[in-house]
Amino acid sequence: IAVVATAGTRAGQAVQAMRLLKKLSPAGQLMALQKQIDTINTDMKLLGDNKVTLSPERAKDITSSDTPEGLEQAVERAKMELYNKVPSRWVDKWNAWRYLSMLGNPKTHIRNVLGNAIFVPVRGMKNVIGATIEAATVKGERSKAIGKLPKVFKEFAAKEFDANREVIDAGGKENIERNKRVFKSRLLEGMRKANSFGLETVDQKFLKAAYVKSFAGYLKANKISPAIASAAMNGAGDQIVDIKTAKIIENARAYAMNEAQKATYRDYSALANALNKFKKTNAATAVLGEGLMPFTKTPINILKRGVEYSPVGILKGIKELTNDVKKADDDMKQQTIIKGIDSMASGLSGTAILV
């Protein structure tokens, strides 16, 4: 349960972890939530009466739930209670004010739209190149398709996105601390939340669009029948979906999540993770880190996209299709081939635009 509750940001593991988390019993859900509370108390060094705790009423609300829908609602009520209990430190207020000052203007919101949109046509070209290479060279599972996508595939993809939005959106990180109240002033807190909502709403549209297209394209590339997709979407897949098809659908989830996160610069970054951990060391490192680099993941991932969509991407793809494929286990060879072709297609599309 602890592993599930603190799932990493790797696409396949994160999707599987979230699906397992949602299948936990009420007692399991409560234990998973308590693990997140313990992590917050440890990270924020909260002791004694200052510790964040879940009230007995909310705990009973969870354990007494007798339907999946009721359990989900009870967990959400518990999270809302915790949002209001996580303390706001002076450094949180300082950083929130700085972020609002830096991001709370129309130009930033326009740049956010352009920043998300700029790679859409480039990714489209990458997918055409990648699909062409896969069609000509790959025997077995593929990831990309050209042409119109069946409506049922897109509906299935949209439903999958909504079901796994939390892990796709935040890379598997629970957002209890992120959603806490920072300012006591209703005006400042309202401005902070409104600004975040505006930026997040735009990101969500691009995130979902990339997920739906990638997921649906994966199903089409592997010739999954619309009937089977419809059955799987409506919960009847266990009766008619064979093991091979189920694996393809699971791979489609992981692939689409990775593509969506990359499209909105939310994909995993070891460097960004290390920098964020450094910021959380103590108050001094928080001030120093936020002062020197207030934003970590987005600028690092923008730089990564620039490298991927350059001749370096072509070289990376060649390495993955040669050395990495040879080293991969038998059950991972096909995914390694898909990854190598994707890297090569990224490099080719970006280089073609530059030339």
Side-chain angles (χ1 to χ4, degrees):
I1 292 172
V3 173
V4 173
T6 56
T9 56
R10 301 299 186 179
Q13 293 175 340
V15 171
Q16 291 173 3
M18 182 56 66
R19 291 171 70 82
L20 287 172
L21 181 58
K22 289 184 176 182
K23 291 181 180 179
L24 289 176
S25 65
Q29 290 271 13
L30 181 60
M31 289 178 66
L33 190 60
Q34 186 57 54
K35 176 63 179 177
Q36 296 163 30
I37 295 170
D38 292 342
T39 299
I40 290 173
N41 286 326
T42 300
D43 288 347
M44 299 185 71
K45 298 179 173 58
L46 301 176
L47 302 172
D49 293 339
N50 292 324
K51 277 188 173 183
V52 175
T53 59
L54 186 65
S55 69
E57 291 78 15
R58 290 279 72 84
K60 185 178 179 181
D61 190 22
I62 292 173
T63 55
S64 61
S65 299
D66 53 7
T67 65
E69 295 78 13
L71 177 57
E72 185 175 350
Q73 292 169 6
V75 170
E76 286 304 311
R77 286 192 290 271
K79 288 178 182 177
M80 287 302 297
E81 177 184 90
L82 293 170
Y83 295 159
N84 295 320
K85 286 188 174 182
V86 176
S88 178
R89 302 162 297 182
W90 69 268
V91 70
D92 297 323
K93 293 181 173 67
W94 170 247
N95 287 330
W97 176 254
R98 289 172 61 244
Y99 291 153
L100 182 59
S101 300
M102 289 185 285
L103 303 177
N105 61 79
K107 286 184 178 180
T108 298
H109 289 260
I110 293 171
R111 290 193 189 106
N112 187 45
V113 175
L114 296 177
N116 278 301
I118 194 169
F119 267 119
V120 171
V122 185
R123 284 191 295 106
M125 184 184 296
K126 177 204 77 168
N127 287 335
V128 170
I129 294 172
T132 304
I133 296 174
E134 285 184 350
T137 63
V138 174
K139 293 180 179 180
E141 193 168 330
R142 292 155 51 183
S143 66
K144 298 173 179 62
I146 300 173
K148 187 176 180 180
L149 299 171
K151 182 180 178 181
V152 68
F153 287 178
K154 292 189 284 188
E155 290 174 347
F156 187 10
K159 188 173 181 179
E160 284 290 315
F161 179 86
D162 292 337
N164 298 295
R165 181 188 295 269
E166 193 172 318
V167 68
I168 297 167
D169 169 34
K173 179 182 177 183
E174 180 51 61
N175 56 9
I176 290 175
E177 185 177 352
R178 187 178 67 182
N179 286 334
K180 68 183 180 183
R181 185 185 183 102
V182 176
F183 297 113
K184 290 183 178 180
S185 166
R186 289 186 179 181
L187 176 61
L188 285 178
E189 185 67 7
M191 290 171 61
R192 183 187 73 85
K193 288 186 174 180
N195 186 61
S196 296
F197 177 80
L199 295 170
E200 187 67 17
T201 299
V202 170
D203 286 351
Q204 285 294 320
K205 290 187 179 299
F206 283 95
L207 191 73
K208 186 171 186 175
Y211 185 93
V212 168
K213 188 170 185 177
S214 300
F215 186 96
Y218 203 104
L219 298 186
K220 181 181 178 181
N222 291 286
K223 297 180 172 60
I224 302 298
S225 77
I228 288 179
S230 179
M233 176 177 63
N234 294 311
D238 292 343
Q239 286 75 40
I240 66 171
V241 176
D242 57 53
I243 295 175
K244 182 181 177 181
T245 302
K247 182 63 176 176
I248 289 173
I249 293 174
E250 193 64 34
N251 288 340
R253 291 187 183 104
Y255 173 76
M257 174 180 163
N258 188 51
E259 287 293 293
Q261 289 184 341
K262 287 171 70 175
T264 51
Y265 315 108
R266 296 176 180 221
D267 48 310
Y268 176 80
S269 168
L271 178 57
N273 257 20
L275 288 170
N276 285 331
K277 284 182 180 178
F278 169 75
K279 290 179 183 180
K280 292 180 179 179
T281 304
N282 53 51
T285 58
V287 173
L288 178 63
E290 291 292 342
L292 294 175
M293 197 171 185
F295 309 106
T296 50
K297 181 178 279 191
T298 299
I300 288 172
N301 282 337
I302 289 174
L303 180 60
K304 281 171 62 179
R305 293 298 88 78
V307 173
E308 290 166 359
Y309 286 81
S310 76
V312 176
I314 301 173
L315 297 176
K316 182 172 180 282
I318 293 172
K319 180 224 175 227
E320 289 167 343
L321 289 169
T322 52
N323 293 351
D324 291 2
V325 170
K326 289 179 181 178
K327 294 177 182 178
D329 296 334
D330 289 342
D331 61 339
M332 288 301 298
K333 282 190 183 296
Q334 198 66 26
Q335 290 303 310
T336 306
I337 291 171
I338 288 173
K339 182 181 177 184
I341 292 175
D342 187 81
S343 295
M344 186 173 289
S346 298
L348 288 170
S349 61
T351 302
I353 292 173
L354 290 174
V355 173

